Amino acid sequence: MLEVAGIRHSYQSQLVLDLPHWRADEGDQWLLHGPSGCGKSTLLHILGGLLTPSEGIVTLAGTELGTLRGAAGDRYRGRHIGIVFQQLHLIDAITVRQNLTLAQRFAGLPVDEARATEILTVLGLADKANAFPFALSHGQAQRVALARALINRPAVVLADEPTSNLDDENAARALALLRDQARAHGSALVIASHDGRIKDAFEKRLELPARREAAA
Amino acid sequence: MNALALAIAYLRRRPLNTALNLLLLAIGVGTIALLLLFTDQLQKRLQRDADGIDMVVGAKGSPMQLILSSIFHVDIPTGNVSLGNAQTLAANAMVREIIPLALGDSFRGYRIVGSEQNYPAHYRAELADGAWWQEPLEATIGATVSSEGGLVIGDIFAGAHGMASGGAQHAETPYRVVGVMAPTGTVLDRLILTSIESVWEVHAIHDEEADAHDDTEHIVESQSGSGGVLAHGDPDQEVTALLVKFRNPIAAAQLPRQINMQTPMQAALPGYEIARLMQLVGAGIDGFRAFAVVLVISAGLGIFAALYNALAQRRYDIAVMRALGATRGTILRQILLEGVLLAVVGAVLGLLLGHGTAALAGSWLRQEHQIHLVGLTWVHEEIWLIVMAVALGAVAALLPALQAYRIDISKVLARG
């Protein structure tokens, strides 16, 4: 379903990623694991269509991402890929609900308030719908970020270091939520993390070797 | 959450900055709008009052003063001319019509104008109530004199000598209001009209008082039958000014020079003097306009600075929006929209400010001066102010928008 072939990515003529082949099937939950600077964030960006690799092909549900140019690529990403960033990056100027409906609009989908309400309710955020992100606790903000990634029922959810800076209890809770919700939405899940605590929870792991002087 | 709502949300995130830029722009645009309203209304008013009057003849002095005092009734008259000279002029073949005016008195600041029926007829004035003046010391008053001066039909009032209220009163020869004119939108609304003979009579008795014992007969017969004072008046009497209409355009080239050279009278051309007046006023207006343009440009720079600075904080937002599916074009339009929205709101506030100030200043000016300024009117140039604002906002937002357009989302997000 999500497949890469012959991916090599260089940054300032420094090879930061070299992945001959990797594949995730529908509903799979993968951990991209490795130390800082191993290129897992780079890979995540490549999988998410945020970055075009120097070489190689990424295919999502039969569509080769590299063939989609400009606006078409943006729309495709918005519809089929959900991303949870490490820093969450909720848009502070607008409410929680608006963060969600904005994701619908940018994906080129009709705004569906009922869907926004539904997912907020599932994630226990119904009473925060009209709150601004800066008024949320970290846990709440994390759930909003997840809701935003899932609202368009993407084929795959990408999460960058979802457990960093969390204590054991919260890390476990965040991870469980992420995995449960991805499963509930029928989305594949790919997590990039250097967190050793979560390593054993995943059957499917892609270990990326450390690289010296690598960016990202 | 549409683009407009998002733009508003971002503007509200920096309320102080947004308010400051709006204020700057509003003051600039408001000043320009006020100047537009002022010049437009002043010019229209001057043209309406002077419409159809080809030449004004009066005593020697400043031609501008002659025009101001006898057409617009704002300055003091240059003096009087003898009726004899006026009658000679009336006989000239190039003259189609003469409206004689006898000025000098006022009531509560409203000027009492001795004239003939062709004066209100010239402005197509109609009676709202009562009748035109017939007998000596009957007066027909303008709409404003009635509504704001408080005179009604049947009122008896004494004119005061001079043009400002508070002059010596002609208490022995009071006027009686016999009619009220309908509003004309001209200077007529603020005038008290009576016959020239009435003005003579008032001043004859006034002079008599001054001379203490003068037994000369001063009762003036009504001469407003056919032809009026110009046909039958005593040539030794005086009038203040003559509003002249020409029979043909050649007269404009010949008559004024002839009058100025060969008679003790002065001729002035309203068109020329109004143009001169607007030029004088225009110099001051240009200064104000330059000041306003500087304000508008500052506002543009302010919008640019605000969007440019905000961009540093918004890089992540923009990258995230792109990750959510927003295209480069969407982001570009979003930033442009913010600039344009700010500018348009500022311009609209400015127009409201300009019109509000005009209305406020108008109500004050009306009391203090004979200037009529209203706020509830629209000058077609104002549409250009909006167009200008849109352009200003777009130009100010262009560079920040292009920067947002070029953002490398992966790089920005990798840093975060």
Side-chain angles (χ1 to χ4, degrees):
Chain A
M1 196 256 333
L2 176 60
E3 190 167 4
V4 304
I7 294 281
R8 288 167 69 85
H9 191 69
S10 302
Y11 181 71
Q12 289 173 350
S13 69
Q14 174 93 32
L15 188 67
V16 293
L17 183 68
D18 183 1
L19 187 60
H21 183 260
W22 173 79
R23 169 192 171 87
D25 288 319
E26 225 161 289
D28 272 2
Q29 301 203 333
W30 277 84
L31 177 68
L32 308 180
H33 192 255
S36 281
C38 68
K40 57 186 185 304
S41 285
T42 303
L43 178 56
L44 208 66
H45 283 187
I46 289 172
L47 294 177
L50 303 177
L51 183 64
T52 307
S54 312
E55 288 172 44
I57 293 168
V58 183
T59 314
L60 175 62
T63 302
E64 197 186 316
L65 294 187
T67 61
L68 299 171
R69 296 264 165 247
D74 293 324
R75 291 270 180 269
Y76 192 85
R77 174 172 62 242
R79 276 184 202 196
H80 302 292
I81 303 168
I83 308 175
V84 182
F85 299 99
Q86 184 179 357
Q87 302 295 336
L88 305 180
H89 291 313
L90 298 178
I91 294 169
D92 256 357
I94 56 179
T95 65
V96 165
R97 174 184 286 282
Q98 289 170 332
N99 263 274
L100 302 191
T101 52
L102 197 65
Q104 295 175 328
R105 186 169 75 83
F106 282 154
L109 297 168
V111 168
D112 182 350
E113 296 282 354
R115 167 71 182 140
T117 305
E118 176 197 313
I119 194 159
L120 285 173
T121 307
V122 166
L123 291 172
L125 290 163
D127 58 329
K128 296 291 176 192
N130 297 316
F132 283 89
F134 52 79
L136 301 176
S137 71
H138 183 76
Q140 289 166 340
Q142 210 165 26
R143 279 181 279 155
V144 175
L146 179 58
R148 189 174 65 181
L150 287 168
I151 189 159
N152 296 333
R153 302 181 189 279
V156 60
V157 172
L158 308 174
D160 195 6
E161 304 285 0
T163 57
S164 65
N165 308 324
L166 294 180
D167 59 36
D168 291 356
E169 193 184 332
N170 281 313
R173 193 178 294 153
L175 191 65
L177 189 69
L178 200 54
R179 299 186 76 169
D180 290 350
Q181 287 304 319
R183 200 171 291 126
H185 281 81
S187 308
L189 176 66
V190 179
I191 290 175
S193 180
H194 70 274
D195 192 343
R197 297 175 295 180
I198 66 172
K199 194 176 163 186
D200 296 334
F202 286 83
E203 289 165 29
K204 294 176 176 171
R205 287 199 300 266
L206 176 65
E207 294 286 346
L208 293 168
R211 286 174 192 278
R212 270 178 301 156
E213 296 178 78
Chain B
M1 183 95 261
N2 57 26
L4 187 65
L6 191 60
I8 292 170
Y10 272 110
L11 291 175
R12 284 177 54 169
R13 276 291 278 169
R14 30 177 217 276
L16 185 69
N17 199 298
T18 299
L20 210 64
N21 283 320
L22 284 180
L23 187 71
L24 211 58
L25 196 60
I27 293 173
V29 170
T31 308
I32 296 179
L34 184 62
L35 292 175
L36 282 175
L37 284 173
F38 177 74
T39 44
D40 181 73
Q41 291 182 22
L42 182 65
Q43 196 146 24
K44 272 191 189 141
R45 184 63 199 259
L46 293 180
Q47 274 160 359
R48 196 163 47 208
D49 283 349
D51 189 41
I53 295 168
D54 298 314
M55 177 176 75
V56 179
V57 175
K60 292 242 189 253
S62 146
M64 177 85 78
Q65 188 185 351
L66 179 61
I67 299 285
L68 288 175
S69 63
S70 52
I71 292 185
F72 306 115
H73 299 274
V74 286
D75 206 348
I76 52 166
T78 48
N80 285 340
V81 296
S82 81
L83 191 57
N85 283 327
Q87 286 164 335
T88 309
L89 180 64
N92 191 306
M94 285 187 278
V95 170
R96 180 159 58 89
E97 187 185 353
I98 289 185
I99 301 167
L101 300 177
L103 309 172
D105 291 348
S106 63
F107 173 73
R108 290 184 189 159
Y110 299 107
R111 296 186 175 201
I112 299 169
V113 178
S115 189
E116 296 185 340
Q117 303 295 344
N118 61 352
Y119 187 46
H122 170 75
Y123 290 109
R124 292 185 187 83
E126 284 170 6
L127 285 169
D129 203 3
W132 295 110
W133 71 92
Q134 290 287 331
E135 301 302 316
L137 297 177
E138 284 185 347
T140 302
I141 61 176
T144 310
V145 181
S146 173
S147 62
E148 286 174 23
L151 282 179
V152 293
I153 291 178
D155 276 357
I156 307 282
F157 66 94
H161 198 66
M163 295 312 188
S165 46
Q169 297 237 323
H170 301 293
E172 294 79 6
T173 48
Y175 288 97
R176 190 165 58 86
V177 180
V178 297
V180 178
M181 287 178 270
T184 60
T186 67
V187 68
L188 220 54
D189 294 349
R190 306 185 54 86
L191 298 180
I192 296 167
L193 302 187
T194 186
S195 66
I196 288 183
E197 292 86 346
S198 302
V199 175
W200 286 342
E201 183 171 333
V202 168
H203 288 93
I205 289 167
H206 179 77
D207 293 344
E208 192 175 297
E209 276 174 348
D211 298 344
H213 298 288
D214 187 342
D215 271 352
T216 321
E217 192 65 73
H218 270 299
I219 305 301
V220 183
E221 300 279 319
S222 176
Q223 293 158 323
S224 53
S226 63
V229 294
L230 290 170
H232 310 293
D234 175 357
D236 291 335
Q237 282 284 10
E238 289 186 325
V239 292
T240 313
L242 307 166
L243 309 181
V244 182
K245 300 180 189 181
F246 296 146
R247 206 174 281 282
N248 56 48
I250 304 163
Q254 296 183 1
L255 261 186
R257 197 212 299 241
Q258 219 171 320
I259 292 165
N260 287 333
M261 306 268 287
Q262 298 168 9
T263 73
M265 303 189 290
Q266 171 191 217
L269 299 173
Y272 177 77
E273 297 303 327
I274 289 172
R276 214 158 63 89
L277 184 66
M278 287 310 289
Q279 223 167 17
L280 290 174
V281 175
I285 285 173
D286 285 346
F288 268 113
R289 200 189 314 253
F291 163 73
V293 166
V294 168
L295 281 185
V296 169
I297 290 173
S298 317
L301 288 173
I303 292 172
F304 166 75
L307 289 175
Y308 197 87
N309 286 333
L311 204 60
Q313 299 153 26
R314 280 174 65 179
R315 296 177 71 81
Y316 294 117
D317 283 14
I318 289 163
V320 166
M321 287 178 189
R322 293 288 317 282
L324 290 176
T327 63
R328 286 181 189 277
T330 304
I331 299 295
L332 182 86
R333 283 193 296 275
Q334 187 66 45
I335 306 279
L336 284 179
L337 178 64
E338 253 175 73
V340 170
L341 179 67
L342 197 60
V344 167
V345 171
V348 168
L349 286 178
L351 290 183
L352 290 177
L353 188 72
H355 284 258
T357 311
L360 215 68
S363 68
W364 175 75
L365 284 172
R366 195 162 18 195
Q367 284 161 9
E368 298 291 316
H369 307 279
Q370 294 236 6
I371 297 170
H372 199 71
L373 184 64
V374 294
L376 280 175
T377 181
W378 180 260
V379 186
H380 67 271
E381 280 99 332
E382 288 181 65
I383 198 76
W384 286 108
L385 285 179
I386 299 282
V387 173
M388 238 175 53
V390 171
L392 181 83
V395 167
L398 192 61
L399 191 61
L402 281 175
Q403 290 225 325
Y405 180 90
R406 289 203 203 100
I407 276 179
D408 181 333
I409 39 181
S410 173
K411 231 181 246 177
V412 170
L413 290 171
R415 239 176 271 155

